């Protein structure tokens, strides 16, 4: 399933997530994973934070998630460069 087909009503949220995190170049085989991450992030962002410890944990996990987005982009760039080298 492509994240861009919009059959489940999450198209706008998924597109926004992909754009905000510069993940447009990630291989299409990962569309479903990106879709799940985007929906999960949207749903968890609306949950109330009840105490300071939860707030700290939420911030910590958010930082880890952001690091993963950076790694995804870097890995995709490496994959793209390797494909260029192999096609020569």
């Amino acid at each position: 399933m492509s994240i861009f087909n919009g059959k489940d009503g999450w198209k706008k949220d998924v597109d926004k997530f992909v754009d905000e995190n510069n993940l447009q170049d990630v291989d299409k085989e990962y569309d479903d994973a990106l879709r799940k991450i985007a929906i999960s992030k949207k749903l968890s962002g609306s949950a109330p934070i009840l105490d300071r410890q939860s707030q700290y944990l939420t911030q910590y996990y958010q930082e880890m998630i952001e690091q993963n987005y950076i790694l995804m982009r870097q890995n995709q760039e490496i994959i793209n460069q390797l494909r260029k080298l192999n096609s020569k």
Side-chain angles (χ1 to χ4, degrees):
M1 171 191 289
S2 174
I3 63 173
F4 301 107
N5 66 11
K7 291 181 181 177
D8 60 4
W10 289 98
K11 181 183 181 340
K12 187 186 296 182
D13 296 311
V14 174
D15 288 345
K16 181 179 176 186
F17 169 80
V18 169
D19 289 340
E20 286 176 349
N21 294 289
N22 299 315
L23 298 171
Q24 299 89 344
D25 294 332
V26 174
D27 282 343
K28 296 299 178 197
E29 65 188 74
Y30 300 110
D31 280 358
D32 196 46
L34 287 175
R35 181 183 159 282
K36 288 177 183 176
I37 293 168
I39 293 170
S40 176
K41 185 172 180 179
K42 177 74 173 177
L43 293 175
S44 67
S46 61
I49 296 176
L50 303 175
D51 59 25
R52 188 172 298 274
Q53 183 178 5
S54 295
Q55 187 176 11
Y56 289 137
L57 284 174
T58 302
Q59 181 61 35
Y60 173 74
Y61 290 130
Q62 184 61 37
E63 291 169 3
M64 291 182 67
I65 290 168
E66 295 297 327
Q67 288 176 350
N68 286 335
Y69 298 150
I70 292 168
L71 290 172
M72 288 171 67
R73 289 189 297 267
Q74 289 174 333
N75 287 340
Q76 188 61 49
E77 184 61 32
I78 291 168
I79 290 167
N80 293 342
Q81 293 296 324
L82 288 172
R83 284 181 180 158
K84 284 181 186 177
L85 287 174
N86 286 334
S87 66
K88 291 182 179 181

